[in-house]
Each structure stands twice: as C-alpha cells, then as structure tokens.
Amino acid sequence: MTKIKTQSEKALAPFGDLTINRGRLVVGGCFASELAEKYGTPLYVFDVNRAKNTAAAYVDVLRREYPDFTVCYASKAFCCAGIYSILAPLGLGADVVSGGELYTAIKGGMDPAKIYFHGNNKTESEIAYALESGVECFVVDSEHELTLISKHAEKPQNVIVRVNPGVEAHTHKFIQTTTPDSKFGFSIADGTAEQIILSIKNYDNISFKGIACHIGSQIFEPQSFEIAIDKMTDFIVKLNSLGIEVERLDLGGGFGIHYIEQDKPLTPEQYMTNSARYLKSAVKSRGIKPPRLIVEPGRSIVGEAGITLYTVGAIKTIKDIKTYAAVDGGMFDNPRVSLYDAQYRAVVADKADAPCDCEYSIAGKCCESGDILIDGIKLPELHTGDVIAVLSTGAYHYSMASNYNRNAVPPVVAVADGKSAYMVKPQTYEDMTRNDVIHVFSEDGI
Ligand code: LLP
C-alpha cells in the first residue's frame, strides 16, 4: 500500500504563510472556513502581509545590490484601488497598460510620477489622459504612439522604447512575449528598434530615456533573464555608438511562483540578486554607463498571496471514469485553466490534515465542458457544503474575471493578523445590469 500524504505535507509546503490549526486552514490569521461563512463563496482572499513582504523583498535586495532602481508593480496581475495603497508606501511604482488601470492606480494613491504606461496600442484618449495625469514615462510600442504623444504633450514627455531581444523563455506560448512573431516591441535583430529610437529626435516634445523588454511570464530559470541582459546591454553599446545615451533599462517582470508541486521558482531575493549582479558585470565588461534598472514584477508579488474559496455543491460519479465535485465558481473567476491549461493545488478548508485518498475533478458552474478548475486531484472525501481553497490565485484571477453566464465577479477580502475586510465589495445583480438598456429604441431606453 502506498503511503497517503496529507494535504498539509503535499499542498502547503511552499506556502509559508498558510498554516493548519487543528485540521483547519488558516490564512492571514483567519480560518478559511470562517471567511467563507462570513463573506460567502466564491471568495477571493488576499493575504496583505504576504504581498507586502514580497514587495519589500524586491526593494530591499535592489537597495543593496543595485541602488539606482525602480520596482514598478505590474498592475495587470491584480488591479484594484487597495493594492496601490498597500504597495505605494513601500516605495513601489506601477506599470499600467490602460486608462482603467491608470485611473485605479491614481485612485489607490499611486503617484503618477512613479507610473510607467505600457501597451502595444494605447488609444489617443488614453494617451491624452495619461499626459494630463502626469505619468512618468510611456513605454512606446509603435510609431503611431509617438505621433499621438507628440500631438498631446504640452511639455517634454519621457519615453522608453519596448524592444524585442528575441529570448526564448520556457513558458506557455500565450505568455511568451519575445518570439520573433511577437506583437510586442521592436526587434533588435531586424534593426527596427534602432530605427524607431533614432526617429525620436524628430519630436521636440519627446525625451528618449531608455529601453524596455519583457521576456515572458512564470519563468523559473535565471538564465533567461541573463540572456536578456546580455542582449539589452549589447544593444545599449550599439545605441551609444550612434550617439544615443540610455539612462534606463526596464527588464520587465516574469518571475515565476508555485502553483503545483513541480514548480520550483527562485525567491524574489534570488531572482533580483542574480539579475542585479549579472547586470553590473555586463555593464562593466562592456564599459557602458550603468542604467537605472526598472523591474516590473506582478505575479510574484500577489500570486501566492491569494487563495480562492469555493463551496462544493453537486458531486457526480461517472462509473469507472471520474468523480466531479462541482463548486460555485469556475471560469468566470479563474479563466487561466481554459486559457493556459494552468494547474493548481487545493486544500479542503476544514479537512486540511485528512488523508487525500479520493480523486476528484473540480468542476466550475459555467455552461462549458471545459470549465474545469482542477482536472484530477487527490483530496479527502468531499461532501456537499465543504469549502475548498484553491491556492496561488492572487495574480491574473480577479483581474481576468468576467461576468460569463452572468455570474458575479467574487469580492476580494483582505486578511492580516486575524482581521478581515473587503478590498473589493461584492458585485450585485443590480451592478451587473446597471448599464443594460431594456427597450433599446424607445426614447428614454427604459
Ligand atoms: N511587464 C510587462 C511589460 C508585462 O507584459 C508583464 C506581463 C509584466 C511586466 C508582469 O509579468 P509577471 O511578473 O506578472 O509575470 N495572464 C497571464 C499572464 C500575462 C502576463 C502579461 N504580461 C497569466 O495568467 O499567466
């Protein structure tokens, strides 16, 4: 007979902040099942201290290893006003990719002077809004964008240019960003990066500050970042030879986290120490001026700080095939499984010490066969009403949620030191229908 591992051994090992107290899962000092009871499910739970500690680790390491730096939190990972009020006091800036993210960041207290505006197709109104708000820098991704910035900028506007260094990072193809056919950035290899940068001198209200890349997401190997540093610093040498100074080097985000047992990410300290030291020596060996280093971690700051709680409803066994345990969430709160074949661990909130001797597929409630949250996981025997916690859901879950099947986007509850409070309040049916027009061609639309 094989030894059955408990969930506590198997699933929680990498999550130092999730603990078990007499068989019950504890997050941020709160019992998960009590949160489910108090706030209902599905529920996103966000461990504030976990995110703070990770963000602070980025800042601390760089202060030590490479003092001319900015850590810009990548808003796309988890964007709501409260996250900025947590991260801004730690000295972080933000990367935003839309007017909506910019608005939310400012609303949450992020200083626009610390905001970098990314995106491969910023609209004219977004550009005008960003200029009005005083964002620090645009990360330019097209010639069209330069003309729009120039049209609206009333004073010289800082920009850096997104380039494609052609680094093959080992991750899902939809989250790779520097393949030769990528929609992002200007290729270094084919000379278009150099051309666009040279063209910036034609705009008297645009000030070129540097170059940016982002090689992909959920990357484990530090070597991928080293290759990017080599290619980017080689390119700086080239630009310098054309008389162009490069003050800033933005290496993007992409640092991997734990989702399942096989995932072996480095810590933020390790990723940063490695990249900072590698950059220092790359700069030295090429004899170039050390640029300001910008990094844009998203997933690694918020991913492991989040869990999602669900309640088990229907349990259905298909003889000799599988047993489905259906929960009250699904692809509307977690589209990552259907998009990227993402895999997760889960814990039954009040059976966290029980042996995992049953196999389930955790199904969502959407009308799609593909709406499966975990396809095959060993758990203790489940019963209707059990609360399940899916782990590592802090990044690209709330921010990618939808109202598919007119399910409400779940609220986000922040937890810390045994306290809990809404970070994002529940969405009501009224909220979901607020902008619906019933009689579309009648005069008042009601
Ligand atoms: N900077 C840039 C320019 C980016 O495009 C991204 C992510 C980041 C920073 C942050 O990367 P992170 O540190 O979070 O890996 N929806 C996908 C991930 C898409 C990432 C897109 N860009 C997912 O759920 O896995």
Side-chain angles (χ1 to χ4, degrees):
M1 219 179 86
T2 53
K3 184 174 173 286
I4 297 162
K5 280 194 171 177
T6 65
Q7 286 167 295
S8 50
E9 285 168 319
K10 265 181 79 177
L12 295 180
F15 302 93
D17 303 69
L18 291 171
T19 53
I20 293 171
N21 184 345
R22 280 169 284 132
R24 302 178 72 193
L25 176 67
V26 178
V27 52
C30 303
F31 285 115
S33 56
E34 285 181 8
L35 294 169
E37 170 100 36
K38 181 168 177 190
Y39 297 98
T41 56
L43 181 70
Y44 295 119
V45 180
F46 190 73
D47 181 340
V48 172
N49 290 333
R50 170 83 196 216
K52 269 190 189 169
N53 292 341
T54 317
Y58 275 100
V59 173
D60 290 347
V61 177
L62 288 174
R63 228 174 241 152
R64 226 174 29 241
E65 295 287 340
Y66 200 100
D68 187 12
F69 73 95
T70 310
V71 178
C72 282
Y73 164 66
S75 301
K76 68 202 79 158
F78 176 44
C79 184
C80 62
I83 190 68
Y84 302 97
S85 78
I86 293 169
L87 299 180
L90 301 173
L92 279 82
D95 132 10
V96 300
V97 296
S98 69
E101 284 189 354
L102 175 59
Y103 181 88
T104 312
I106 294 173
K107 187 168 182 167
M110 182 57 72
D111 180 357
K114 288 190 138 183
I115 295 181
Y116 278 62
F117 194 0
H118 278 262
N120 69 309
N121 190 26
K122 305 166 186 80
T123 65
E124 181 161 359
S125 62
E126 286 176 322
I127 287 174
Y129 169 49
L131 287 166
E132 227 170 79
S133 313
V135 295
E136 165 55 27
C137 194
F138 283 81
V139 185
V140 169
D141 207 334
S142 70
E143 212 179 314
H144 172 62
E145 182 180 343
L146 282 177
T147 60
L148 292 175
I149 295 172
S150 179
K151 178 172 165 195
H152 291 276
E154 285 171 4
K155 52 182 176 28
Q157 174 61 45
N158 292 336
V159 303
I160 58 178
V161 170
R162 169 99 180 236
V163 306
N164 180 348
V167 177
E168 200 184 308
H170 295 273
T171 188
H172 192 281
K173 71 175 180 336
F174 288 168
I175 47 181
Q176 280 184 350
T177 45
T178 54
T179 49
D181 61 350
S182 173
K183 72 170 182 172
F184 296 108
F186 294 92
S187 164
I188 294 180
D190 71 8
T192 49
E194 184 184 315
Q195 272 164 28
I196 187 93
I197 292 168
L198 281 168
S199 79
I200 294 180
K201 63 175 176 327
N202 302 328
Y203 301 92
D204 55 10
N205 58 355
I206 299 185
S207 174
F208 173 76
K209 292 290 170 192
I211 51 176
C213 70
H214 169 76
I215 58 172
S217 203
Q218 185 61 357
I219 295 168
F220 294 139
E221 320 83 39
Q223 293 79 7
S224 300
F225 297 105
E226 294 174 3
I227 298 169
I229 291 171
D230 277 330
K231 298 214 175 182
M232 295 297 273
T233 46
D234 280 345
F235 188 48
I236 294 178
V237 172
K238 170 90 207 226
L239 292 173
N240 288 169
S241 77
L242 299 169
I244 297 167
E245 231 197 283
V246 177
E247 288 174 27
R248 304 182 195 179
L249 172 62
D250 179 345
L251 292 176
F255 316 106
I257 64 166
H258 296 100
Y259 285 98
I260 53 168
E261 247 165 28
Q262 294 88 308
D263 292 337
K264 302 274 180 269
L266 301 181
T267 61
E269 288 87 346
Q270 290 167 323
Y271 283 122
M272 282 305 97
T273 307
N274 190 73
S275 287
R277 292 186 182 170
Y278 198 86
L279 175 60
K280 272 189 288 194
S281 82
V283 160
K284 199 165 168 208
S285 66
R286 288 166 179 78
I288 55 180
K289 193 173 145 232
R292 176 184 308 164
L293 171 62
I294 296 147
V295 287
E296 300 168 342
R299 186 192 316 267
S300 54
I301 291 181
V302 291
E304 290 177 16
I307 63 174
T308 308
L309 302 180
Y310 302 99
T311 303
V312 175
I315 298 175
K316 187 187 288 178
T317 299
I318 304 174
K319 199 168 172 290
D320 299 330
I321 299 182
K322 57 168 72 173
T323 298
Y324 284 108
V327 295
D328 48 3
M331 62 196 295
F332 59 96
D333 67 76
N334 178 4
R336 297 191 69 257
V337 181
S338 21
L339 278 174
Y340 318 119
D341 298 323
Q343 291 180 292
Y344 292 88
R345 303 171 191 219
V347 174
V348 184
D350 281 346
K351 298 178 186 169
D353 265 348
C356 300
D357 45 10
C358 300
E359 175 141 350
Y360 293 97
S361 282
I362 309 296
K365 70 190 284 290
C366 290
C367 289
E368 299 242 3
S369 304
D371 182 24
I372 305 293
L373 290 175
I374 304 180
D375 193 16
I377 181 171
K378 291 264 195 199
L379 290 174
E381 189 180 354
L382 290 174
H383 297 283
T384 299
D386 280 338
V387 172
I388 296 186
V390 175
L391 311 182
S392 289
T393 63
Y396 303 109
H397 280 239
Y398 172 74
S399 63
M400 293 178 71
S402 75
N403 285 133
Y404 184 47
N405 288 171
R406 280 265 151 142
N407 286 296
V409 171
V412 184
V413 161
V415 289
D417 310 318
K419 288 185 300 196
S420 66
Y422 280 125
M423 196 165 174
V424 179
K425 292 182 194 162
Q427 194 183 37
T428 62
Y429 291 151
E430 181 51 33
D431 292 333
M432 275 191 278
T433 50
R434 181 155 296 130
N435 296 328
D436 291 7
V437 175
I438 302 170
H439 301 293
V440 286
F441 292 119
S442 74
E443 279 195 356
D444 57 7
I446 298 167

